[in-house]
Amino acid sequence: MADLLLDWAEEAFWTPYVWTKEQSLLPNWAVDDARRQFVDLYFTVCVGAVVMYFSFAGFNWFFLFDKKALDHPKVLPNQVRREIWCFFKSVPGGSALTTAVFVAEIRGHSRLYDDLREMNLQKYTGVDDGGWLYIGLSFFAFLFFTDMGIYWIHRWLHTFPLLYKYIHKPHHTWLITSPWASHAFHWADGFLQSVPYHLFVFLFPFHKVFYLVMYIFVNVWTVSIHDHNYFVSESMEDYINGAAHHNGHHVYFLYNYGQYFTLWDRLMGTHKDPRKYPDEKIRSHFEPDNKQSKKQQ
């Protein structure tokens, strides 16, 4: 995926406007030099993060977010402005770590691919279909693997006091969230919870285009679970970790750590059914229900 992004950025901006023959201040690094790849990707990732954040969170804010949530007494003064500023503070550090992973991908250390014929994917399924069954199964494997990884990383961030205090607590500043809170976290927190996405493509073959699609989907989903828009039907609430579950996590702290599904919360006894919240729509007048959760406020 990162090579698709870098190729586009190089052609559209970096080569014609920055790394020109006329400039004499920058090092004479070749296009495939790892140092140049890191520099170009770093600034591209920073800009891309800002564009995605304002595109996805902004669309949600204007068209989907239930603004009645802002009437809750636990909403902080100037909260939206503070959420956006928290995001901006996280961009430089988070982008640096993400760029390091992207450079490793570009330099061939991951298992991302763009040509089915090179991968012989049917060896994983035993079905001679050119690898299409594997591609379909890889979507579900990606969701399951990353949901499991994020559950444990998220839970550990709550379990170990130093990790919570210095890394994860900033995100829990926002008890009643808005779409702008979706990426308002400490830069290390954001990167740690993205590790399963990166790790998957270093362990399992995954198509570059599909990885890009999932990267966008993950960011859209992250915004959606902070927006108080409970689009998940009641019949699916037992299985999907939507906004109702995640908004409850921001209030109760010790429940609903999952990203997409409730599977790991149910297996590990950390699931809290939104239908059993004091206010099932999580809109007003409820308090954390135990002493330990109060300590994490």
Side-chain angles (χ1 to χ4, degrees):
M1 178 193 78
D3 60 337
L4 301 176
L5 178 63
L6 182 60
D7 288 346
W8 172 82
E10 282 287 354
E11 183 176 347
F13 179 74
W14 293 108
T15 297
Y17 297 110
V18 178
W19 302 96
T20 62
K21 295 180 179 178
E22 291 76 16
Q23 66 82 20
S24 59
L25 298 177
L26 297 177
N28 188 25
W29 292 336
V31 174
D32 59 352
D33 189 298
R35 295 167 296 182
R36 174 169 168 176
Q37 289 174 335
F38 182 90
V39 170
D40 292 357
L41 261 179
Y42 174 73
F43 289 104
T44 303
V45 167
C46 286
V47 172
V50 172
V51 170
M52 282 202 304
Y53 177 66
F54 279 95
S55 297
F56 300 152
F59 180 88
N60 192 296
W61 170 264
F62 287 108
F63 299 107
L64 299 174
F65 176 52
D66 183 357
K67 294 183 177 62
K68 292 180 182 178
L70 299 178
D71 296 331
H72 195 285
K74 289 187 178 292
V75 173
L76 302 176
N78 300 314
Q79 178 170 311
V80 169
R81 187 180 304 173
R82 292 165 67 180
E83 288 169 342
I84 294 173
W85 176 238
C86 183
F87 159 75
F88 273 112
K89 289 191 296 182
S90 75
V91 169
S95 296
L97 294 174
T98 300
T99 300
V101 177
F102 282 173
V103 170
E105 291 176 9
I106 289 172
R107 302 192 73 78
H109 299 294
S110 75
R111 304 194 70 185
L112 288 166
Y113 65 90
D114 53 13
D115 189 340
L116 291 177
R117 294 168 297 183
E118 292 180 358
M119 297 304 296
N120 189 26
L121 296 173
Q122 52 266 35
K123 69 182 179 182
Y124 297 104
T125 61
V127 178
D128 187 13
D129 63 347
W132 290 105
L133 177 59
Y134 176 87
I135 288 177
L137 293 175
S138 68
F139 273 109
F140 296 101
F142 180 89
L143 291 174
F144 177 81
F145 180 90
T146 55
D147 188 62
M148 175 185 67
I150 290 172
Y151 172 86
W152 285 108
I153 292 170
H154 192 181
R155 187 168 178 180
W156 291 333
L157 286 168
H158 279 266
T159 301
F160 298 102
L162 290 179
L163 287 178
Y164 181 79
K165 180 178 180 180
Y166 293 107
I167 294 179
H168 193 53
K169 189 175 182 178
H171 187 59
H172 276 276
T173 301
W174 334 112
L175 294 179
I176 306 302
T177 61
S178 81
W180 305 107
S182 60
H183 294 74
F185 39 53
H186 188 284
W187 59 266
D189 187 2
F191 180 76
L192 283 172
Q193 295 199 58
S194 74
V195 165
Y197 304 119
H198 300 304
L199 184 59
F200 183 87
V201 301
F202 283 86
L203 297 176
F204 308 105
F206 203 55
H207 198 285
K208 292 177 181 178
V209 173
F210 297 154
Y211 189 41
L212 177 60
V213 170
M214 295 308 293
Y215 186 81
I216 294 171
F217 167 76
V218 165
N219 281 276
V220 172
W221 183 264
T222 301
V223 171
S224 76
I225 61 176
H226 291 84
D227 69 1
H228 296 264
N229 188 333
Y230 306 126
F231 67 88
V232 177
S233 66
E234 188 169 341
S235 62
M236 294 301 294
E237 258 186 5
D238 288 336
Y239 314 105
I240 303 297
N241 187 71
H245 280 88
H246 193 70
N247 289 333
H249 170 74
H250 272 262
V251 173
Y252 292 100
F253 295 90
L254 304 178
Y255 303 95
N256 302 344
Y257 297 106
Q259 180 75 349
Y260 313 116
F261 310 115
T262 62
L263 173 64
W264 285 97
D265 280 301
R266 291 183 178 279
L267 289 175
M268 304 311 299
T270 55
H271 177 256
K272 194 171 186 70
D273 189 338
R275 290 165 293 193
K276 296 180 181 179
Y277 293 155
D279 178 339
E280 75 176 39
K281 292 188 176 181
I282 321 179
R283 288 204 170 107
S284 63
H285 308 302
F286 56 89
E287 298 289 338
D289 62 352
N290 61 64
K291 294 180 181 179
Q292 188 175 2
S293 67
K294 289 182 180 179
K295 290 180 181 179
Q296 296 204 346
Q297 292 187 47

